[in-house]
Amino acid sequence: MGGNGLIPGSARLHLRDGLPLLRPDEQVFEAMIKGWRNQQLARNLSLGYVNDQERTVRSFSRHADVMPWQWTPQHVDEWSADLRAVHGLVCSTLRNYQGSLIQFCDFLTNPAYGSSDECLRYFGTHPVQVVYDWNAATHADEAEGEPERRAFTKPEPEQFFDHADEEVLRVRGKGRKGWLPAFRDAALFKVAYAYGLRRNETRMLDLTDFGRNPEGREFGEYGTLLVRYGKAKKGSPPKRRSVLTVLHWTPRTIEEWMSEVRPGMRHSTSQALWPSERGPRVGVQRLDSRFAAYRDAAGLDPALEFHSLRRSYITHLIEDGHDPLFVQQQVGHDHASTTAIYTCVSSDFRTRSLRRVLDATIKAALRPGRTS
């Protein structure tokens, strides 16, 4: 037991108590990082999340150019201003970075881990919390995305997909082998829209992720889609969900790709649904660059991005009369408010909805025998 009645913390264990330190600053800092990593892993946080947390803290330390026991709120102000003004970080990303710093400082100032005691022992000072309500980004609105981002209108997906199909015919007409990846990209964009998928959810699909839906026999082998790499909560593993096939043309698109075109790809022996020319799975940058190229060539709004396919799926299902709860479950949102943020219904849909309500109200008011 230590003098404060607590078991000696991880800081002393990592420093090998009793041995002299050749580089006290560096060794104590590394002991802090190692202890924090272990604490996060003990909480069952994912390794990727823990690595991101560590990178953020190291980045802040380099910017401040002092060790954690010398950090001040002013260092946070200067770092945050640099991230916004120079690096152009959006508010939500900046808040996540500041959150990592808050957690690290909470760890350092927790007496159970002994970091403050070791700093007092070697440097005569100790770390403090440097991120407070008055110098941190606040979460003021649920929808913090860029306001220009929107869903496709009803005619725009067809325009986009038509251009993608024409690109396949153009490349194939020249006798070039590049028509295979062009076909893949066209099918991939259609599947992303047909199931309301995020970018990484789409690229991580495998051949075995499709299945039957007993209540939707008309879709055959493609009645459901298992999404295994859904967006995870902080520190958690990817979130799984099953998405039911809704659009009638979806099975035909998938079947044509899987049985007629995909076998000709170089890496067709992999289990990935979308192999690339150079590896077993298509990359994220390829998806972004090809989407932007097709969008611009089709003369569509530059504000449209890959995620607009997901926004469009939600919006168009709502406009077509699907139950909002069904749509929420399809896209894997925990709360209806999140789905509402994604919904960009047209003014025509709102007008028709109002007209439907007014007609029902008037009909009820004129019903014979109705009392006031």
Side-chain angles (χ1 to χ4, degrees):
M1 301 290 286
N4 55 6
L6 297 173
I7 297 174
S10 61
R12 181 163 298 186
L13 296 177
H14 293 308
L15 288 170
R16 297 184 181 180
D17 188 28
L19 297 180
L21 300 183
L22 299 179
R23 301 180 305 280
D25 284 13
E26 297 178 18
Q27 289 174 269
V28 171
F29 179 59
E30 290 302 321
M32 290 174 168
I33 291 290
K34 185 175 181 180
W36 188 45
R37 283 184 62 89
N38 290 344
Q39 184 245 19
Q40 293 181 93
L41 292 173
R43 293 163 53 197
N44 201 32
L45 301 180
S46 69
L47 184 59
Y49 176 75
V50 174
N51 289 338
D52 288 342
Q53 294 274 83
E54 180 182 337
R55 277 193 292 270
T56 300
V57 169
R58 289 187 182 277
S59 174
F60 172 76
S61 185
R62 288 192 297 270
H63 187 277
D65 199 26
V66 291
M67 289 300 180
W69 47 93
Q70 299 169 307
W71 291 350
T72 66
Q74 183 179 356
H75 291 128
V76 178
D77 297 345
E78 294 172 352
W79 178 61
S80 301
D82 182 70
L83 291 176
R84 288 298 304 276
V86 179
H87 298 281
L89 263 63
V90 297
C91 185
S92 58
T93 304
L94 175 61
R95 189 173 60 251
N96 289 336
Y97 283 12
Q98 291 173 342
S100 300
L101 200 57
I102 290 173
Q103 293 181 51
F104 183 61
C105 290
D106 283 344
F107 169 79
L108 296 185
T109 55
N110 189 329
Y113 292 101
S115 296
S116 294
D117 293 339
E118 294 306 309
C119 288
L120 285 170
R121 177 185 176 192
Y122 287 104
F123 313 114
T125 185
H126 60 84
V128 297
Q129 179 60 260
V130 293
V131 185
Y132 302 93
D133 291 341
W134 41 264
N135 71 337
T138 59
H139 193 174
D141 194 345
E142 289 188 75
E144 292 185 330
E146 298 176 40
E148 66 270 18
R149 300 303 182 191
R150 65 172 179 85
F152 285 83
T153 62
K154 276 293 184 72
E156 286 178 334
E158 185 174 356
Q159 184 178 348
F160 181 84
F161 296 145
D162 283 348
H163 175 79
D165 292 338
E166 291 168 2
E167 183 67 11
V168 177
L169 297 177
R170 184 187 69 82
V171 177
R172 191 173 188 178
K174 293 183 177 182
R176 292 164 52 187
K177 194 177 180 180
W179 74 272
L180 293 172
F183 194 106
R184 176 205 59 207
D185 295 340
L188 183 150
F189 292 139
K190 293 173 185 176
V191 168
Y193 170 72
Y195 291 101
L197 303 179
R198 300 178 178 89
R199 183 178 54 184
N200 194 56
E201 292 174 348
T202 307
R203 66 177 291 269
M204 294 303 293
L205 291 177
D206 282 349
L207 298 173
T208 56
D209 289 336
F210 294 98
R212 287 180 170 271
N213 177 7
E215 302 300 327
R217 299 182 183 279
E218 62 269 32
F219 298 120
E221 300 294 332
Y222 308 103
T224 64
L225 174 65
L226 175 62
V227 178
R228 294 176 294 108
Y229 287 86
K231 184 178 180 180
K233 294 181 180 179
K234 278 190 176 181
S236 300
K239 183 179 178 182
R240 294 187 175 213
R241 73 177 186 277
S242 291
V243 187
L244 302 181
T245 304
V246 175
L247 305 178
H248 68 277
W249 50 262
T250 307
R252 184 174 65 253
T253 299
I254 301 170
E255 177 64 28
E256 185 178 12
W257 160 247
M258 290 178 62
S259 62
E260 300 180 22
V261 182
R262 187 184 177 282
M265 295 289 291
R266 180 180 177 184
H267 294 277
S268 61
T269 55
S270 75
Q271 283 297 306
L273 181 61
W274 315 110
S276 74
E277 307 92 296
R278 299 180 180 179
R281 199 178 298 274
V282 67
V284 171
Q285 291 185 343
R286 167 73 181 198
L287 300 186
D288 288 340
S289 61
R290 183 52 62 98
F291 181 93
Y294 284 2
R295 175 200 63 203
D296 296 342
L300 296 173
D301 188 348
L304 294 171
E305 55 179 348
F306 191 101
H307 205 71
S308 296
L309 297 170
R310 178 173 167 86
R311 295 189 187 96
S312 305
Y313 174 81
I314 296 172
T315 299
H316 297 164
L317 287 189
I318 294 294
E319 289 189 339
D320 289 342
H322 287 81
D323 184 85
L325 179 58
F326 170 77
V327 178
Q328 177 187 336
Q329 293 172 342
Q330 286 281 93
V331 295
H333 287 158
D334 291 332
H335 306 288
S337 58
T338 308
T339 309
I341 292 172
Y342 276 71
T343 307
C344 313
V345 296
S346 64
S347 58
D348 180 61
F349 171 76
R350 294 196 297 271
T351 302
R352 285 187 279 111
S353 299
L354 175 62
R355 185 71 266 164
R356 192 162 52 246
V357 173
L358 291 176
D359 289 346
T361 303
I362 294 173
K363 184 178 179 180
L366 298 177
R367 186 181 304 130
R370 181 183 180 277
T371 58
S372 59

